[in-house]
């Protein structure tokens, strides 16, 4: 049976020179015995110790059992004796309430409170965390004191399935320091962050394992200067049962039952935070259901990412229990792996844990340990119809001890570990389609998300978590500023960002590529676009995170990280970047050709292109798909055999786009009208020239010359480029030429010679015969139109070309005779609408080798046509005669019928003037009537004027007179006029020599 003397008591020595510690001692021990125990544990001499209870110093002889009768837990203060020869001396801490108020002023209210409690659960190795707002009103009869009644109402509970260790019980009482300083593996076990719960409550309660503790920073509930009370389920079972209302809030929740209290242990931990319903000295911030739900809502903003970098906690739920006991889910977030990859995350975490242990044990390593694993986070919402799922790929890394001596030195000083995590969003429930959300904005984490705001934004397309040094209020990462330039935590953060983040980031990208290539994670929504979205945008990275970029890109470009259009991941040195508009047909053909030539063409988003520019030097610029580079490929590859005509035209369009026409030589891309493609050359010989038609010189003017002209139906800008290439100054850089009058004439001559070789004055034209492929009717009309426009002053370039149709042109004509343009012309126009040839003259002209046109086609309106088609005038006929050999002319004229001779004489008599040559020709023509009355037949004969006399028209010769010379009868007007024109001597009848009767003398030839 327990008596006053044999009972055991718990003595807690409150913070002093040896820290806070609790010990179990017999009631019969004296204060001296306790001092010896402290000396044995701490080395602090008993003679130097002073134990205080309340406001008095305890003498060494007093027994501990006499200091308390009801309570089994005694709290005393330990102080040093002070300086020798003096009294108490030393700095003191401010009152606990003031200390906590200062923390609350600096520390954020809101969802960050819940995150701190989650972090504590993570550090404890818990896998599940539950938040419960409970409106239950518990009894107030059996309480420690009546002042506890106000804490029996609504409260926020926080549960996790890990159990407090002795260190945890010790640490939660040490408000001025965090136990993480002694254990780098614990991020924040009940450090300053835990005290943010005082925003909500004045009396935090803890139930874990076999103990229930209550904290009272006001030091009013459990006695003067007592800041809390703790009960052991077994040792203090009687008191617990006596204070049944006091402990009722710890029964019937999270699996805690009366059996739990009887058995003396709860397999987990939960905190109870009674809401502050009245202002207190600590805070005037009051809480009710609405504010708790707002707290939950503020946590929701990060709910889908809170589990990203946690190794243990995988399930967080937030619930509400109404006063009637009914519970409802507010939301729940869980982390899981896909069915095919269930072991990947656990295995990765083991590797990571080993690397952290090695670092803490100072095992040298100059490498960074990186592990990646996929994780699915599901958010269940009471208001949502279904769960919202996000998929992530996470890379966690630990820097090796040796990668940076300064980083290692800071790690030892601060008790930090160089741990970095990077998480890329693969898909989210609210995205439309096409992989991860394009507007994703990365944030900074210190294992859990930092409070929202500009300070937590990184400007990177991934979340980054790290063992960062935080500001005092734990709202943001410390960076070196003017007032903290040498701050160790700020320096640590910079070294961590520079030395570990780039490698971890690169590993995440490389692992994503490897998974996509190998199909190792078919359940993951990985794609090239998703991977490219993971690359940082140099323009968006915030200033503190920009140092990541250059080393990250340098690391990436040591590997095949660029996806080519041919479906391969290639390194930077093999890649050729395309910035072309792929919506254009031209671009697609160019890229297709380059791929078929074995070139690794890549197309990357603008931010990846910027990364490339940042990583490469000006000495070794990246290759881009440019017209110049494409021309080089075309020359080397030269495999255009399987390339379609359309694709060749697209290639031509592209290589012309930079106007470097001199670099076209050798490229077999020049399109001809005949459907072939020939190489560009600089040859200037006529046989190699390729012409460009124009509006003034349409290609239809040159039928049969399709092999000498570029394709008709080229795009306007392509045609313009080729025209510009043809107009280069100096030595031609291509064989292209624009048409001018001289070239037009040359080509028309080539057309004509193709269809009508030889020199015949008249040729046959079959405009409708497909076999002969002669030019069309419209062709000749166009030719004359161009002759009128461009050759109005000179047609000599077209001499000898058969361009004059003998008849008017009409569509559908099967055969038309064409007359060559020839000077002197043998063509006389005998158009009834104009001046006409007299009767019989057309026959005479044709007899003499001339051509009589009955009608000139309306398309021939050239001002110089009169040089090639004469009007029906005596001079025109004489010009024709002049070109004939004189003997031939005389013979042809002599063979004419008398009617035709008379008609010719009358026609020539219309001359008003004539040249000496014309006069000589007329004198040789046997078209004049000769007087010869001795003719036995009585038919007049014809003679030429040369060597003859002309009888004056008023004279008459006697009948039967025989003449000794040829006398021309001038009885007709035509003879008189010609005699006058030629100034031929006219004689009277009496002056004409005669022959004796019966004898005749012929002085000249006689023609009949």
């Amino acid at each position: 049976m327990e008596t006053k003397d044999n009972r055991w008591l718990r003595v807690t020595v409150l913070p002093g020179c040896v820290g806070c510690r609790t010990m179990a001692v017999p009631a019969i021990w004296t204060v001296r015995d306790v001092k010896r125990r402290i000396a044995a544990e701490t080395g602090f001499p008993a003679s130097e110790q002073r134990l205080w209870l309340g406001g008095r110093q305890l003498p060494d002889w007093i027994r501990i059992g006499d200091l308390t009768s009801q309570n089994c837990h005694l709290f005393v203060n330990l102080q040093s004796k002070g300086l020798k020869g003096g009294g108490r001396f030393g700095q003191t801490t401010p009152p606990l309430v003031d200390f906590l108020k200062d923390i609350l002023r600096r520390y954020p209210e809101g969802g960050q409170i819940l995150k701190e409690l989650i972090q504590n659960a993570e550090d404890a190795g818990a896998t599940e965390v539950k938040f419960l707002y409970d409106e239950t009103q518990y009894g107030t009869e059996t309480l420690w004191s009546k002042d506890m009644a106000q804490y029996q109402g609504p409260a926020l509970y926080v549960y996790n399935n890990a159990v407090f260790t002795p260190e945890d019980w010790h640490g939660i009482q040490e408000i001025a320091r965090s136990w993480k300083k002694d254990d780098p593996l614990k991020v924040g076990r009940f450090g300053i962050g835990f005290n943010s719960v005082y925003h909500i409550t004045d009396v935090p309660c803890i139930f874990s394992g076999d103990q229930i503790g209550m904290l009272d920073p006001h030091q009013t509930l459990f006695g003067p200067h007592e800041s809390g009370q703790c009960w052991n389920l077994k040792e203090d079972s009687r008191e617990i049962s006596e204070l049944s209302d006091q402990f009722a809030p710890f029964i019937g929740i999270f699996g805690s039952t009366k059996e739990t209290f009887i058995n003396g242990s709860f397999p987990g931990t939960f905190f109870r935070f009674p809401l502050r319903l009245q202002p207190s000295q600590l805070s005037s911030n009051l809480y009710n259901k609405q504010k708790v739900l707002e707290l939950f809502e503020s946590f929701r903003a990060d709910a889908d990412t809170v589990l990203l970098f946690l190794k243990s906690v995988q399930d967080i739920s937030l619930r509400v229990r109404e006063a009637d006991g009914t519970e409802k889910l507010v939301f729940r977030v869980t982390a899981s792996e896909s069915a095919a990859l269930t072991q990947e995350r656990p295995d990765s975490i083991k590797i990571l844990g080993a690397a952290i242990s090695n670092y803490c044990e100072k095992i040298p390593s100059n490498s960074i340990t990186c592990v990646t694993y996929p994780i699915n986070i599901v958010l269940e919402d009471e208001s949502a119809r279904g769960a919202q799922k996000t998929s992530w790929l996470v890379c966690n890394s630990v820097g090796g001890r040796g990668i940076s001596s300064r980083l290692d030195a800071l790690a030892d000083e601060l008790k930090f570990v160089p741990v970095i995590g990077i998480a890329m969003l693969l898909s989210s429930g609210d995205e439309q389609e096409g992989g991860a959300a394009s507007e994703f904005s990365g944030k900074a984490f210190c294992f859990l998300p930092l409070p929202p705001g500009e300070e937590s934004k990184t400007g990177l397309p991934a979340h980054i978590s790290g063992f960062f040094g935080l500001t005092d209020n734990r709202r943001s990462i410390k960076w070196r500023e003017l007032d903290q330039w040498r701050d160790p935590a700020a320096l640590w953060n910079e070294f961590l960002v520079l030395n570990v983040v780039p490698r971890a980031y690169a590993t995440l990208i490389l692992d994503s590529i490897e998974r996509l290539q190998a199909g190792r994670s078919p359940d993951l929504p990985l794609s090239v676009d998703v991977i490219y979205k993971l690359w940082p945008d140099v323009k968006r990275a915030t200033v503190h995170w920009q140092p990541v970029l250059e080393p990250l890109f340098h690391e990436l470009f040591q590997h095949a990280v660029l996806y080519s259009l041919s479906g391969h991941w290639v390194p930077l040195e093999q890649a050729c970047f395309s910035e072309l508009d792929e919506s254009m047909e031209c671009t697609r053909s160019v890229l297709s050709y380059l791929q078929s030539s074995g070139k690794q063409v890549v197309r990357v988003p603008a931010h990846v292109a910027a990364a490339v520019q940042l990583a490469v030097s000006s000495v070794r610029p990246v290759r881009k798909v440019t017209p110049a580079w494409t021309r080089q490929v075309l020359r080397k590859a030269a495999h255009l055999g399987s390339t379609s005509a359309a694709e060749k035209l697209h290639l031509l369009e592209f290589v012309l786009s930079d106007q470097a026409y001199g670099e076209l030589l050798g490229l077999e891309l020049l399109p001809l009208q005949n459907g072939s493609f020939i190489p560009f050359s600089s040859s200037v010989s006529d046989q190699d020239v390729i012409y460009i038609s124009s509006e003034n010189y349409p290609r239809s003017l040159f039928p049969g010359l399709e092999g000498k002209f570029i394709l008709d139906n080229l795009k306007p800008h392509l045609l313009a480029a080729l025209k510009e290439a043809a107009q280069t100054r100096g030595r031609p850089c291509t064989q292209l030429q624009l048409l001018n009058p001289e070239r037009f004439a040359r080509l028309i001559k080539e057309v004509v010679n193709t269809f009508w070789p030889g020199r015949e004055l008249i040729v046959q034209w079959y405009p409708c015969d497909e076999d002969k492929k002669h030019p069309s009717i419209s062709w000749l009309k166009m030719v004359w139109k161009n002759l009128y426009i461009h050759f109005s002053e000179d047609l000599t370039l077209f001499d000898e070309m058969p361009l004059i149709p003998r008849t008017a042109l009409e569509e559908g004509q099967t055969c038309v005779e064409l007359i060559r343009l020839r000077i002197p012309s043998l063509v006389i126009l005998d158009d009834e609408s104009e001046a006409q040839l007299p009767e019989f003259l057309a026959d005479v002209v044709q007899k003499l080798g001339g051509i009589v046109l009955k009608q000139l086609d309306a398309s021939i309106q050239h001002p110089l046509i009169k040089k090639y088609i004469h009007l029906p005038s005596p001079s025109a006929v004489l010009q024709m005669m002049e070109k004939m050999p004189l003997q031939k002319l005389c013979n042809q004229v002599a063979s004419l019928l008398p009617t035709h001779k008379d008609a010719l004489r009358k026609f020539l008599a219309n001359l008003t003037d004539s040249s000496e040559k014309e006069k000589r020709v007329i004198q040789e023509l046997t078209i004049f009537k000769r007087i010869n009355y001795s003719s036995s037949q009585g038919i007049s004969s014809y003679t030429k004027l040369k060597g003859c006399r002309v009888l004056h028209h008023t004279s008459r010769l006697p009948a039967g007179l025989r003449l000794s010379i040829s006398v021309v009868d001038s009885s007709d007007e035509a003879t008189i006029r010609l005699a006058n024109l030629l100034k031929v001597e006219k004689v009277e009848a009496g002056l004409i020599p005669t022959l004796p009767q019966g004898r005749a003398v012929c002085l000249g030839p006689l023609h009949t």
Side-chain angles (χ1 to χ4, degrees):
M1 179 176 178
E2 185 181 82
T3 67
K4 183 177 180 181
D5 293 333
N6 65 8
R7 63 194 176 105
W8 283 71
L9 301 175
R10 293 168 66 84
V11 177
T12 295
V13 181
L14 294 176
C17 51
V18 295
C20 181
R21 59 186 57 247
T22 300
M23 59 189 75
V25 301
I28 60 174
W29 270 30
T30 64
V31 170
R32 180 181 290 107
D33 295 325
V34 173
K35 289 182 177 181
R36 289 171 178 169
R37 174 79 174 270
I38 294 173
E41 292 184 0
T42 66
F44 184 50
S47 61
E48 298 293 325
Q49 299 178 29
R50 296 292 182 266
L51 290 177
W52 293 72
L53 179 63
R56 68 188 180 98
Q57 182 177 342
L58 299 177
D60 288 349
W61 51 264
I62 194 168
R63 293 201 309 177
I64 299 299
D66 295 337
L67 296 175
T68 177
S69 58
Q70 295 181 351
N71 201 342
C72 295
H73 200 157
L74 182 67
F75 291 85
V76 296
N77 287 284
L78 173 63
Q79 295 179 351
S80 172
K81 177 181 177 181
L83 294 176
K84 197 172 185 179
R88 295 174 60 197
F89 176 81
Q91 293 177 313
T92 61
T93 60
L96 180 57
V97 170
D98 292 343
F99 186 84
L100 291 174
K101 286 174 70 174
D102 182 60
I103 291 176
L104 295 183
R105 277 194 297 269
R106 291 182 286 116
Y107 206 81
E109 184 185 1
Q112 196 69 12
I113 299 173
L114 307 188
K115 295 176 189 174
E116 290 294 340
L117 297 168
I118 294 170
Q119 186 64 66
N120 289 332
E122 169 74 6
D123 292 339
T127 61
E128 183 180 15
V129 176
K130 297 178 180 180
F131 294 92
L132 174 68
Y133 169 65
D134 182 18
E135 288 199 306
T136 304
Q137 185 68 46
Y138 294 95
T140 58
E141 296 296 325
T142 53
L143 301 176
W144 175 275
S145 71
K146 62 179 181 179
D147 294 333
M148 297 292 288
Q150 61 180 313
Y151 306 115
Q152 291 295 98
L156 174 64
Y157 286 84
V158 183
Y159 162 85
N160 69 71
N161 59 352
V163 179
F164 262 36
T165 64
E167 290 80 7
D168 294 332
W169 285 109
H170 191 180
I172 205 167
Q173 300 174 68
E174 291 280 329
I175 65 168
R177 61 195 292 267
S178 172
W179 280 96
K180 68 178 181 179
K181 291 184 179 293
D182 298 319
D183 185 357
L185 301 182
K186 305 299 184 185
V187 175
R189 290 293 276 156
F190 309 116
I192 293 175
F194 173 78
N195 293 295
S196 63
V197 300
Y198 287 109
H199 280 295
I200 301 172
T201 187
D202 286 326
V203 183
C205 305
I206 309 101
F207 184 13
S208 182
D210 60 355
Q211 295 192 110
I212 295 176
M214 297 182 186
L215 299 173
D216 174 26
H218 290 94
Q219 300 179 348
T220 59
L221 297 177
F222 304 109
H225 307 290
E226 302 292 343
S227 58
Q229 182 69 26
C230 187
W231 294 268
N232 184 278
L233 294 187
K234 289 184 178 181
E235 296 179 5
D236 301 313
S237 59
R238 181 193 303 177
E239 186 172 345
I240 291 173
S241 62
E242 290 174 356
L243 303 176
S244 59
D245 287 341
Q246 184 73 68
F247 295 97
F250 301 92
I251 299 174
I253 194 166
F254 303 124
S256 172
T257 64
K258 292 181 179 180
E259 290 294 322
T260 303
F261 278 67
I262 294 172
N263 295 332
S265 180
F266 175 66
T269 298
F270 68 80
F271 301 87
R272 183 175 184 269
F273 305 123
L275 302 191
R276 180 181 296 109
L277 304 178
Q278 298 176 359
S280 68
Q281 183 183 353
L282 180 60
S283 174
S284 60
N285 188 19
L286 305 184
Y287 256 77
N288 54 27
K289 180 180 180 179
Q290 180 62 33
K291 290 199 70 171
V292 172
L293 293 179
E294 289 175 1
L295 184 68
F296 285 3
E297 194 61 32
S298 66
F299 175 73
R300 184 197 294 265
D302 295 320
D304 60 341
T305 59
V306 73
L307 298 176
L308 269 180
F309 300 105
L310 300 184
K311 311 301 184 296
S312 300
V313 177
Q314 297 190 62
D315 189 338
I316 300 173
S317 61
L318 293 86
R319 299 174 183 271
V320 172
R321 183 160 73 174
E322 306 291 349
D324 60 3
T326 58
E327 283 191 22
K328 66 175 183 179
L329 176 71
V330 179
F331 63 87
R332 178 188 181 194
V333 59
T334 56
S336 62
E337 300 83 25
S338 60
L341 303 169
T342 53
Q343 274 304 114
E344 191 166 359
R345 183 169 178 245
D347 291 346
S348 297
I349 291 174
K350 289 180 183 177
I351 296 171
L352 199 65
I356 293 174
S357 297
N358 290 342
Y359 189 88
C360 294
E361 294 170 9
K362 300 187 178 182
I363 298 175
S365 173
N366 59 1
S367 63
I368 299 175
T369 301
C370 297
V371 292
T372 60
Y373 52 84
I375 184 173
N376 298 320
I377 295 179
V378 177
L379 181 64
E380 301 174 58
D381 193 320
E382 61 168 348
S383 61
R385 294 181 180 178
Q388 182 181 350
K389 177 182 175 182
T390 53
S391 296
W392 303 80
L393 192 63
V394 180
C395 175
N396 279 300
S397 58
V398 181
R401 188 169 284 274
I403 63 169
S404 168
S405 58
R406 297 191 66 183
L407 188 70
D408 293 339
L410 288 168
D412 294 338
E413 177 185 347
L414 299 168
K415 303 298 182 185
F416 285 0
V417 179
V419 173
I420 285 292
I422 316 268
M424 67 179 288
L425 178 62
L426 299 179
S427 66
S428 62
D430 58 354
E431 70 192 34
Q432 297 298 318
E433 57 182 30
S438 58
E439 296 303 319
F440 180 85
S441 179
K443 297 179 181 178
F445 288 53
C446 185
F447 300 94
L448 287 165
L450 294 177
E454 290 299 318
E455 292 181 340
S456 66
K457 294 180 179 179
T458 64
L460 303 173
H463 291 319
I464 298 184
S465 173
F467 204 133
F468 295 116
L470 301 181
T471 54
D472 290 342
N473 61 6
R474 294 177 62 81
R475 291 195 67 87
S476 58
I477 298 173
K478 271 189 177 182
W479 302 108
R480 287 205 295 169
E481 307 293 349
L482 289 177
D483 59 341
Q484 51 185 28
W485 189 249
R486 298 185 183 278
D487 186 287
L491 278 169
W492 161 268
N493 293 335
E494 288 192 7
F495 283 121
L496 192 61
V497 165
L498 188 62
N499 290 282
V500 184
V501 172
R503 178 62 184 277
Y505 208 136
T507 299
L508 182 59
I509 293 177
L510 294 173
D511 185 78
S512 302
I513 293 172
E514 194 277 330
R515 288 173 186 268
L516 182 60
Q517 274 184 305
R520 183 157 56 91
S521 305
D523 295 342
L524 297 183
L526 278 171
S527 67
V528 175
D529 286 342
V530 168
I531 293 173
Y532 276 155
K533 285 176 182 176
L534 183 57
W535 288 58
D537 186 339
V538 296
K539 296 179 180 178
R540 297 182 63 183
T542 59
V543 61
H544 296 302
W545 296 94
Q546 287 176 358
V548 170
L549 303 181
E550 199 163 335
L552 166 61
F553 297 147
H554 178 77
E555 175 69 23
L556 285 175
F557 290 130
Q558 307 303 312
H559 306 273
V561 292
L562 300 169
Y563 192 73
S564 72
L565 299 182
S566 55
H568 300 96
W569 291 94
V570 297
L572 178 60
E573 57 269 17
Q574 291 183 16
C576 185
F577 292 85
S578 168
E579 297 174 355
L580 309 180
D581 183 357
E582 291 192 18
S583 65
M584 299 175 61
E585 288 184 341
C586 167
T587 299
R588 292 196 292 270
S589 295
V590 170
L591 298 183
S592 175
Y593 171 78
L594 293 174
Q595 290 177 67
S596 65
S597 301
K599 303 303 176 184
Q600 299 296 344
V601 179
V602 300
R603 183 171 182 83
V604 296
H607 69 282
V608 178
V612 172
Q613 292 302 323
L614 184 65
V616 301
S617 64
S618 58
V619 179
R620 188 175 62 92
V622 297
R623 285 182 304 189
K624 293 184 179 181
V625 177
T626 61
W629 184 71
T630 304
R631 288 191 292 266
Q632 293 178 13
V633 175
L634 282 164
R635 287 194 187 92
K636 293 178 181 178
H639 70 291
L640 288 169
S642 59
T643 308
S644 68
E647 291 172 329
K648 290 180 181 179
L649 289 176
H650 291 150
L651 285 169
L652 175 62
E653 182 178 355
F654 183 64
V655 299
L656 283 172
S657 60
D658 64 349
Q659 302 177 338
Y661 307 123
E663 297 181 17
L664 296 172
L665 301 184
L667 304 185
E668 195 176 325
L669 292 176
L670 185 57
L672 303 186
Q673 184 61 29
N674 63 6
S676 65
F677 287 79
I678 63 171
F680 282 90
S681 75
S682 58
S683 173
V684 293
S685 67
D686 288 345
Q687 64 181 9
D688 295 327
V689 170
I690 300 299
Y691 297 97
I692 301 176
S693 59
S694 64
E695 186 177 351
N696 291 336
Y697 301 104
R699 212 279 313 160
S700 54
L701 280 170
F702 313 102
L705 300 186
E706 288 78 7
K708 282 189 169 292
F709 278 84
I710 65 169
L711 194 62
D712 267 346
N713 57 343
L714 293 176
K715 295 177 182 178
H717 64 278
L718 182 55
L719 181 60
L722 290 174
K723 286 182 177 180
E724 191 172 342
Q727 291 176 310
T728 51
R729 297 178 179 178
R731 180 176 175 82
C733 59
T734 69
Q735 72 270 49
L736 291 171
Q737 289 187 3
L738 297 176
L739 286 174
N740 57 25
E742 181 183 355
R743 293 165 184 165
F744 167 83
R746 187 187 310 153
L747 290 177
I748 290 295
K749 182 175 182 179
E750 191 169 343
V751 171
V752 168
N753 290 342
T754 300
F755 294 113
W756 301 290
R759 291 183 53 81
E760 302 90 347
L761 180 60
I762 299 175
V763 299
Q764 304 300 310
W765 176 29
Y766 300 93
C768 296
D769 192 330
E770 294 183 359
D771 294 333
K772 294 185 179 296
K773 298 181 180 179
H774 279 192
S776 64
I777 294 290
S778 60
W779 166 78
L780 187 57
K781 294 181 178 182
M782 285 192 296
V783 169
W784 278 107
K785 179 180 178 181
N786 276 271
L787 295 183
Y788 177 83
I789 295 172
H790 303 294
F791 299 89
S792 60
E793 297 181 356
D794 186 7
L795 280 177
T796 55
L797 292 175
F798 301 90
D799 284 357
E800 296 300 320
M801 296 187 194
L803 299 177
I804 302 175
R806 199 160 185 177
T807 59
L809 298 177
E810 297 178 2
E811 293 295 332
Q813 287 175 297
T814 57
C815 181
V816 178
E817 289 185 333
L818 295 178
I819 306 169
R820 295 185 186 275
L821 294 177
R822 184 173 289 174
I823 295 177
S825 174
L826 300 180
V827 182
I828 294 179
L829 179 62
D830 186 21
D831 191 338
E832 60 184 14
S833 63
E834 304 288 342
Q836 283 188 283
L837 289 172
E839 187 179 7
F840 307 124
L841 248 295
D843 295 336
V844 172
V845 170
Q846 294 176 24
K847 181 74 173 178
L848 297 179
I851 299 172
V852 177
L853 291 183
K854 291 298 183 182
Q855 183 179 355
L856 185 63
D857 189 77
S859 63
I860 304 177
Q861 299 291 332
H862 201 280
L864 299 181
I865 192 63
K866 59 187 177 182
K867 292 177 61 177
Y868 303 95
I869 301 177
H870 299 303
L871 293 176
S873 66
S875 60
V877 175
L878 281 174
Q879 287 182 35
M880 209 185 324
M881 292 177 177
E882 287 176 11
K883 295 303 176 182
M884 294 180 66
L886 184 59
Q887 188 59 46
K888 182 180 180 180
L889 174 62
C890 292
N891 293 338
Q892 292 289 347
V893 172
S895 65
L896 294 175
L897 295 175
T899 53
H900 291 58
K901 292 179 179 180
D902 293 340
L904 178 58
R905 185 178 68 253
K906 291 179 181 180
F907 184 66
L908 294 177
N910 292 320
L911 279 171
T912 57
D913 192 17
S914 62
S915 64
E916 291 301 319
K917 188 174 182 181
E918 289 175 337
K919 290 177 182 179
R920 287 196 298 270
V921 170
I922 294 173
Q923 288 179 350
E924 295 290 343
L925 300 179
T926 55
I927 57 173
F928 298 94
K929 289 184 180 180
R930 177 180 179 183
I931 298 175
N932 188 4
Y933 285 96
S934 63
S935 174
S936 58
Q937 292 85 7
I939 299 174
S940 298
S941 60
Y942 289 83
T943 185
K944 58 185 177 181
L945 280 180
K946 185 176 181 181
C948 296
R949 303 290 177 85
V950 178
L951 180 66
H952 195 277
H953 64 278
T954 59
S955 299
R956 294 288 184 270
L957 292 178
L961 180 65
R962 297 183 63 191
L963 301 176
S964 60
I965 61 172
S966 295
V967 179
V968 175
D969 185 359
S970 63
S971 59
D972 62 299
E973 184 67 23
T975 303
I976 295 172
R977 293 183 64 184
L978 287 173
N980 291 334
L981 177 67
L982 300 176
K983 298 180 181 181
V984 178
E985 182 183 359
K986 299 181 181 64
V987 295
E988 298 293 337
L991 298 177
I992 296 176
T994 59
L995 294 175
Q997 186 70 28
R999 187 178 179 186
V1001 177
C1002 182
L1003 300 179
L1006 180 64
H1007 300 278
T1008 59

